[in-house]
Amino acid sequence: MPRAGEIATDDTHDTGMDLLRFAAVGSVDDGKSTLIGRLLYDTRQLFDDQVAAVEAASARRGIGEVDLSFITDGLRAEREQGITIDVAYRYAATPRRKFVIADCPGHVQYTRNMATGASTADLALLVVDVVNGLREQTRRHACIAALLGVDQFVVCANKMDLVDWDEGAYREVTNDVRELAARLGVSSWQVIPVCALRGDNVVERSQAARFYEGPTVLEALEDAPAGAWASGHGTRSGAGARLPVQWVLRRPGGGRSYAGMVNGGALRAGDEVTVLPEGWRTTITGIETYDGPLDEAPAGISVSVDLADDLDVSRGDLLAVASDAPAVVKDLVATVCWFSDRPLRGGDRLRVKHTTRTTPARVSAVRGRLDVNRLQIDLATELANNEIGTVDLTTAVPLAVDPYRRDRITGSFVLIDEGTNATVAAGMVGEPHLAGDRAASSQALTASGSPA
Amino acid sequence: MTDTQTDGPYRTPGVRAADGLTPHGERPRPRPRRVDHLALLESHAIFVLREVAAESEHPVLLFSGGKDSAVLLHLAVKAFRPAGLPFPVMHVDTGHNFPEVIKFRDERVSQLGERLIVASVQDSIDRGRVPDPGQNASRNRLQTTTLLDAIAEHSFDACFGGARRDEDKARAKERVLSFRDTFGQWDPKRQRPELWHLYQGRVQPGEHVRAFPLSDWTELDIWQYIRREGIGLPDIYFAHRRLVVERDGMLLAVCDWVAPAPGEAVREETVRFRTVGDATCTGAVVSTARTVTQIIDEIAVSRVSERGATRADDRFSETAMEDRKREGYF
Ligand SMILES: Nc1nc2c(ncn2[C@@H]2O[C@H](COP(=O)(O)OP(=O)(O)OP(=O)(O)O)[C@@H](O)[C@H]2O)c(=O)[nH]1
Ligand SMILES: [Mg+2]
């Protein structure tokens, strides 16, 4: 395989090349880091000094061969304990495309870090140790990825060497994945029998799996559609254009323009917009960038806009095309992944950061908890660390929200502990998002919209 | 010396010298924008700059005069013009500088009309904050004390840095917004979750965040962006003749702090620098690349990483960068 260096570096070609952001997920020790290491090694993405450093680190620990997991497990504690603690981001390129890779930790204690890595991924590389099959943590990761809106899974039935490349073991994983994917509403998935340790079916096709004729891991990654994080900072088609106001730019000669990143759809000069939560109507008279004005700003681009009317717009407000504006609510139902040792309970006070606004919020009730094995929501009154559930939230000021399924930017939020300032939850606005709808608690649990 | 207008060292007359001073809107209408990889990286970096500037009380942008900080400063200008930057620019000065870099630093900051703070390692030594390691020893690690003292003195609660995740295996683990406790320490086992693009940098007094808008950029992305934007750089990034000594497999520039030791031969080579740091531990690479395009072609086929080729400070131990970062290093 050519390495990054052998691709064309001509500006027009190279920078126009498409990109896939993917996250390696799955249970602890199932071989995610080894697989990513193998992928990087066999596609020759590594520099000579990096390979030498990994060889030396392996030798120092008495590991006979190179431990490929050391390519991403770069922290002292990770190498000592042989597990991944936090996400490693790696960048790779083949002649077909560029990749941004997030190698996530599998240990349940670091689920928050897995969610971090998966939240900007367009594809999940789900690694399953074929000896143990799908474990609770495998299912938790699959659930979180699906909730976050990852709709393509490339599943690796790993460690096939340990079962002598037994087709039955591979089929068992495939059957379990089929059922899981159906329940999660993940439409695109495939299972590849691999041995990350030796590299079978990772980059090089294996002779060992005679029963398998599908793509290698690299081929699957090269063939996958690029997705929304690669092309527009998470924007999927559907919602109208939105611009959460980040910053008010004052012109030296007077006048203000409102800076932020466009999402949802393209914003055009002349568009009629609503300023939320206030509800004022006005018109975009100009879209500015440092490089000059634009007639149209596509999703994912940072701009500043001028408005026809002199309104008191400030950071935290949202400009939305008037024909398709989000709802303004103070009460909402959401799915949350909880990341704190202290359980989340009804009555808890937290801060919510939603788009560019941070405001106090109260959890009016915890409604349900997802049982990741049965993929069912049970009634619950609290969520423990690393649990996923549905909650009713009341915010101090109204927020302009879309269902997460429609718009990842206006549909997502984090919860912040008021005492420690730690980020303690990832939240996704349900559909329908208005509190009080009993159906909402079950519907909120799949990003695809099909009730779990 | 260079072949095209925007493709060469900053002294080339054709480089846009006054960029940043022109209020936007007065420029010629740009070509229709393709939303390509570099445009998305740029847009995201601008988003991070605005987000952190809005949410912190006293932000600062760390500027070494190197290529990554030149790109970062350029992006900051793009994020906030036509107004001035809502933060000062700070250089943590080891005193072991390449004169070309200091010249570039001063010219660039004054050209933009922004405020420069220089936090000096020599001052830290003179005031007894750190032991004097001796005239010719690396001051790389000492920068941490100088940096943390300056952060405390100015009550900075957010520091923008130009670090990239592709530089090092510990950096590969770091968040875009990276929390530092009251001792300035990074705890890689307790990083805040960072979901989507919801950057959350709330801190208590005495704590701060480091913000890395270039996290997802690679060395190649940086150079391609420098070419596209015509960003000026210090001359030492481009091939030139220089007296060097070979030490620990690295070519060090002979200067006030690097004198040949007994047995070391001084020779003249055509070299350039891939990174810029303390002159005593920043190696040059043999190169004939005199333009940005030639540099892009060169690094595209390089077999050695940016820091592997040039940084003695990463060779102390397996986890040298992690160890320095834990102490509060950039
Ligand atoms: N026999 C065999 N062992 C493997 C294979 N892939 C990985 N391993 C071993 O499985 C162990 C765990 O591998 P890692 O790559 O660290 O697993 P991980 O999924 O990244 O673990 P966490 O990140 O901590 O969740 C190591 O001892 C690997 O050498 C394989 O294909 N065959
Ligand atoms: Mg791992």
Side-chain angles (χ1 to χ4, degrees):
Chain A
M1 281 305 301
R3 58 173 298 276
E6 290 160 49
I7 62 173
T9 51
D10 161 60
D11 191 64
T12 47
H13 174 220
D14 183 60
T15 55
M17 211 164 72
D18 91 319
L19 173 79
L20 179 74
R21 294 186 67 108
F22 72 91
V25 302
S27 187
V28 65
D29 271 351
D30 283 6
K32 298 175 291 299
S33 300
T34 306
L35 180 70
I36 297 304
R38 173 58 73 185
L39 198 60
L40 294 169
Y41 190 83
D42 286 0
T43 53
R44 302 182 58 219
Q45 305 294 324
L46 303 171
F47 293 106
D48 291 347
D49 54 301
Q50 294 172 327
V51 173
V54 168
E55 283 168 355
S58 305
R60 207 170 294 137
R61 288 171 179 78
I63 300 165
E65 293 168 75
V66 192
D67 188 335
L68 293 170
S69 70
F70 283 6
I71 292 168
T72 52
D73 287 344
L75 299 173
R76 186 186 290 278
E78 291 179 325
R79 291 180 172 189
E80 279 166 12
Q81 296 166 39
I83 65 161
T84 304
I85 291 170
D86 212 327
V87 197
Y89 293 92
R90 299 287 312 215
Y91 308 85
T94 68
R96 295 273 306 275
R97 69 170 11 155
K98 284 177 190 272
F99 297 98
V100 176
I101 305 168
D103 178 24
C104 298
H107 197 289
V108 65
Q109 191 186 335
Y110 302 119
T111 303
R112 60 181 191 276
N113 299 336
M114 173 272 170
T116 294
S119 71
T120 53
D122 287 316
L123 179 147
L125 188 66
L126 179 65
V127 180
V128 180
D129 179 340
V130 74
V131 178
N132 299 309
L134 271 66
R135 291 192 276 187
E136 177 174 333
Q137 188 64 357
T138 317
R139 293 174 188 278
R140 179 174 286 111
H141 276 197
C143 279
I144 292 173
L147 279 170
L148 288 167
V150 178
D151 55 5
Q152 318 178 60
F153 282 24
V154 171
V155 183
C156 296
N158 189 32
K159 310 197 186 183
M160 285 297 294
D161 55 313
L162 296 182
V163 296
D164 290 330
W165 293 87
D166 173 42
E167 183 176 359
Y170 165 76
R171 295 275 165 235
E172 209 171 301
V173 171
T174 306
N175 290 337
D176 288 350
V177 168
R178 178 180 298 114
E179 196 190 323
L180 180 66
R183 296 289 297 275
L184 293 174
V186 172
S187 53
S188 166
W189 60 273
Q190 58 189 311
V191 185
I192 306 174
V194 306
C195 171
L197 205 58
R198 306 261 158 262
D200 299 71
N201 284 341
V202 179
V203 173
E204 303 297 333
R205 182 163 296 280
S206 172
Q207 297 309 309
R210 295 184 196 290
F211 56 87
Y212 179 77
E213 286 172 348
T216 61
V217 174
L218 179 64
E219 285 165 353
L221 294 171
E222 287 187 328
D223 287 341
W229 285 108
S231 58
H233 293 292
T235 286
R236 291 179 285 204
S237 58
R242 283 111 178 69
L243 184 118
V245 176
Q246 280 190 287
W247 185 266
V248 180
L249 276 173
R250 280 163 217 275
R251 303 185 174 290
R256 294 184 299 273
S257 80
Y258 304 99
M261 189 190 279
V262 179
N263 76 280
L267 200 63
R268 290 174 192 85
D271 276 352
E272 197 186 345
V273 291
T274 307
V275 181
L276 298 173
E278 293 84 356
W280 302 322
R281 287 283 184 106
T282 184
T283 304
I284 295 192
T285 52
I287 302 176
E288 301 284 345
T289 69
Y290 176 81
D291 297 306
L294 299 174
D295 295 327
E296 176 179 316
I301 290 301
S302 289
V303 297
S304 67
V305 301
D306 302 329
L307 299 178
D309 301 284
D310 187 17
L311 303 168
D312 181 19
V313 178
S314 53
R315 175 175 166 83
D317 288 341
L318 183 98
L319 308 179
V321 284
S323 56
D324 184 7
V328 175
V329 297
K330 283 178 83 170
D331 297 303
L332 53 96
V333 172
T335 302
V336 298
C337 304
W338 183 248
F339 303 132
S340 170
D341 291 334
R342 165 174 81 79
L344 178 69
R345 299 197 179 98
D348 283 356
R349 253 189 70 110
L350 296 142
R351 273 178 205 282
V352 57
K353 181 169 184 185
H354 170 257
T355 64
T356 54
R357 171 154 286 161
T358 305
T359 175
R362 194 178 53 246
V363 177
S364 20
V366 171
R367 291 185 172 206
R369 176 193 302 123
L370 180 70
D371 178 329
V372 295
N373 286 315
R374 288 160 46 242
L375 290 179
Q376 210 168 297
I377 301 157
D378 302 326
L379 286 177
T381 54
E382 64 173 53
L383 294 179
N385 197 3
N386 302 316
E387 288 186 333
I388 302 161
T390 42
V391 301
D392 292 345
L393 209 64
T394 302
T395 58
V397 300
L399 302 178
V401 299
D402 287 297
Y404 184 76
R405 181 162 83 105
R406 266 199 102 205
D407 188 316
R408 285 187 188 151
I409 306 296
T410 47
S412 62
F413 60 85
V414 292
L415 297 177
I416 302 163
D417 185 294
E418 288 194 309
T420 63
N421 291 323
T423 304
V424 287
M428 288 146 278
V429 178
E431 184 179 20
H433 43 73
L434 295 176
D437 184 335
R438 291 307 301 173
S441 62
S442 57
Q443 290 207 343
L445 273 170
T446 57
S448 66
S450 52
Chain B
M1 179 175 171
T2 52
D3 50 12
T4 67
Q5 282 220 319
T6 56
D7 192 4
Y10 75 109
R11 284 220 231 96
T12 310
V15 171
R16 286 185 255 161
D19 62 345
L21 298 177
T22 319
H24 65 209
E26 288 174 24
R27 285 164 171 269
R29 213 170 180 82
R31 60 199 180 279
R33 189 195 269 271
R34 259 186 326 133
V35 186
D36 62 8
H37 177 59
L38 287 182
L40 285 166
L41 287 173
E42 173 190 81
S43 170
H44 178 252
I46 289 174
F47 178 82
V48 174
L49 282 155
R50 288 172 173 167
E51 204 57 17
V52 175
E55 293 210 332
S56 52
E57 298 278 326
H58 301 291
V60 65
L61 185 144
L62 302 176
F63 182 71
S64 66
K67 67 180 191 314
D68 300 311
S69 41
V71 167
L72 186 62
L73 185 58
H74 179 82
L75 288 161
V77 166
K78 284 192 137 185
F80 298 106
R81 286 291 184 261
L85 297 185
F87 38 74
V89 170
M90 182 162 84
H91 181 216
V92 179
D93 180 356
T94 62
H96 288 169
N97 297 301
F98 295 96
E100 298 92 328
V101 176
I102 296 301
K103 179 166 171 286
F104 169 76
R105 175 196 79 185
D106 292 342
E107 284 178 7
R108 184 71 184 130
V109 175
S110 76
Q111 181 189 67
L112 293 173
E114 300 294 342
R115 183 158 77 94
L116 176 71
I117 298 170
V118 177
S120 149
V121 172
Q122 187 61 52
D123 274 0
S124 301
I125 294 170
D126 294 345
R127 287 187 292 127
R129 294 285 296 140
V130 288
D132 189 346
Q135 170 74 338
N136 298 343
S138 166
R139 292 175 165 185
N140 187 53
R141 199 160 188 151
L142 303 186
Q143 290 179 92
T144 299
T145 302
T146 309
L147 170 64
L148 294 179
D149 284 355
I151 287 170
E153 181 190 333
H154 297 276
S155 308
F156 291 133
D157 54 356
C159 305
F160 292 105
R164 311 187 321 264
R165 285 171 174 154
D166 78 332
E167 283 179 74
D168 174 87
K169 58 192 182 302
R171 289 215 192 281
K173 297 268 164 182
E174 196 166 12
R175 299 282 187 259
V176 174
L177 250 66
S178 186
F179 177 78
R180 293 292 185 283
D181 67 12
T182 51
F183 296 95
Q185 299 183 99
W186 179 55
D187 185 350
K189 280 184 107 162
R190 296 172 57 89
Q191 298 198 86
R192 284 182 181 172
E194 188 164 85
L195 280 296
W196 304 288
H197 292 153
L198 281 171
Y199 299 109
Q200 200 276 98
R202 295 181 82 87
V203 293
Q204 315 268 16
E207 301 168 343
H208 70 278
V209 291
R210 303 283 170 85
F212 301 113
L214 306 180
S215 287
D216 274 346
W217 298 50
T218 63
E219 185 187 18
L220 197 56
D221 294 330
I222 292 285
W223 282 106
Q224 284 175 334
Y225 188 71
I226 286 168
R227 174 166 65 183
R228 175 180 292 188
E229 297 289 304
I231 297 170
L233 292 179
D235 286 344
I236 66 166
Y237 278 106
F238 301 89
H240 56 283
R241 300 289 291 171
R242 189 179 281 269
L243 292 178
V244 295
V245 292
E246 189 166 341
R247 190 175 293 168
D248 304 327
M250 281 191 330
L251 296 180
L252 295 181
V254 175
C255 60
D256 290 351
W257 316 282
V258 178
E264 281 179 344
V266 174
R267 62 178 198 262
E268 194 175 314
E269 286 274 10
T270 302
V271 296
R272 65 180 188 85
F273 289 85
R274 250 171 111 178
T275 65
V276 166
D278 184 313
T280 63
C281 65
T282 303
V285 292
V286 173
S287 166
T288 55
R290 306 179 79 97
T291 67
V292 176
T293 297
Q294 287 167 359
I295 288 173
I296 289 171
D297 291 343
E298 191 178 277
I299 56 173
V301 295
S302 170
R303 296 298 315 154
V304 183
S305 75
E306 179 181 301
R307 294 191 75 90
T310 63
R311 295 304 272 262
D313 45 327
D314 288 345
R315 298 185 178 182
F316 296 133
S317 77
E318 189 180 317
T319 52
M321 175 66 86
E322 177 184 344
D323 298 343
R324 273 180 288 144
K325 289 186 75 64
R326 282 173 175 279
E327 293 168 3
Y329 186 75
F330 301 104

